[in-house]
Amino acid sequence: MEMVLQRSSSGMACHRPAGQQEQEAAELSTELRRGPWTVDEDLTLINYISDHGEGRWNALARAAGLKRTGKSCRLRWLNYLRPDVKRGNFTAEEQLLILDLHSRWGNRWSKIAQHLPGRTDNEIKNYWRTRVQKHAKQLNCDVNSKRFKDAMKYLWMPRLVERIHASTAADEDGCGDYGCNDLSCVAMATVATCLEGSPSMVTSSSSDSFSSESQSLEKINSHMHAGDEKMSSRDWMQEVDHEFWSTQIQPENEQFQDQELNGWVQGFSESVSESLWSLEDIWKMQ
DNA sequence: AACTAAATCAACCGCTCCCTG
DNA sequence: TCAGGGAGCGGTTGATTTAGT
């Protein structure tokens, strides 16, 4: 069904007579719903998937009686209705991971999303476009420029690391177990291993970090799947990044002397963290 | 309170890849 | 080997919300 509309517009093969195609397309365009999903549609999709599972989206859409394309159903499920979708602002750990993984993989949103449990590629993409690109624009430089990447590597990311460490330290003082979670370890280990593996993350190509990346992901996976025997998150993190943070990444790193960017990143870090303060830190304070 | 601009994010579109017959 | 269809990805759009005046 959907294919008639989509393939005809994307120029792929469609071997029916033009008149018949137009008629079918006209019928479908009046039949298919577009735009925001209603509560009823959501419920229909959720109920159908809970009974029959996901996949085969075009067939699913028809069988469930939804007047939507399979694509639309898939997107709605993956980005919104899936039970494990995490909503709300990105944590410092998540921001750190996004910055790091994007520096290695570029706009591979789905690949990046695989390392942020509960986050969708769409959400990450939106975050990058609205938050990160906006600030690059304010600086009159491109997000892919060396200047912007330097600012991320030497100023912004270390500040996020500081915040993660700070929240971890707060946990050590008996303020609950929110801070040093698996994701914080994953974020910091990923960045640590990446930077250890290449002298300059900024200038290295994506390919020369793959070996260290695989080691990093191996550690991450082994930790996250260690089950009952896994060490505490903090111990594990220390093992992974022992001495690294004190030698390689430092706030106001000597390697980076661009005072204008320094000031800008300070403001940026504060602006992107406002929402975090309003959620996590308020909880901790309570 | 009303209006405007900016920010956000859900949804769509076009394309490519991969599997199957 | 190749065409067709399904699935997924990245880019873009536009409606809605929020912030500023």
Side-chain angles (χ1 to χ4, degrees), chain A residues 103-171:
Chain A
S103 75
R104 286 191 275 168
W105 297 332
N107 298 353
R108 302 286 305 278
W109 307 119
S110 62
K111 190 171 183 179
I112 293 170
Q114 287 169 9
H115 297 284
L116 285 106
R119 299 296 189 179
T120 68
D121 55 350
N122 212 30
E123 206 175 3
I124 294 167
K125 182 170 57 181
N126 281 332
Y127 168 78
W128 185 265
R129 293 187 64 82
T130 57
R131 318 291 214 288
V132 182
Q133 287 195 342
K134 180 187 77 178
H135 289 277
K137 201 175 177 181
Q138 285 176 347
L139 270 177
N140 288 324
C141 63
D142 190 85
V143 282
N144 297 314
S145 67
K146 185 177 186 307
R147 188 171 188 236
F148 190 75
K149 288 179 178 177
D150 280 351
M152 282 202 300
K153 180 184 176 184
Y154 294 120
L155 298 172
W156 186 7
M157 290 168 77
R159 286 208 168 92
L160 287 170
V161 169
E162 274 185 275
R163 292 184 54 215
I164 294 168
H165 270 303
S167 69
T168 304
D171 285 341

Side-chain angles (χ1 to χ4, degrees), chain A residues 188-207:
Chain A
M188 295 173 67
T190 303
V191 178
T193 313
C194 168
L195 293 176
E196 280 176 311
S198 67
S200 170
M201 179 178 70
V202 174
T203 53
S204 65
S205 69
S206 58
S207 61

Side-chain angles (χ1 to χ4, degrees), chain A residues 29 43 55 96 106 125 134 152 185 190-191 194 230 235 251 267 283:
Chain A
S29 64
L43 287 173
L96 185 60
K125 182 170 57 181
K134 180 187 77 178
M152 282 202 300
C185 299
T190 303
V191 178
C194 168
K230 76 179 178 187
D235 290 342
W283 289 345

Side-chain angles (χ1 to χ4, degrees), chain A residues 224-243:
Chain A
M224 294 189 77
H225 299 105
D228 296 338
E229 293 180 0
K230 76 179 178 187
M231 65 189 89
S232 77
S233 294
R234 184 172 176 80
D235 290 342
W236 178 81
M237 186 169 69
Q238 284 174 342
E239 178 185 294
V240 169
D241 68 0
H242 177 64
E243 291 187 351

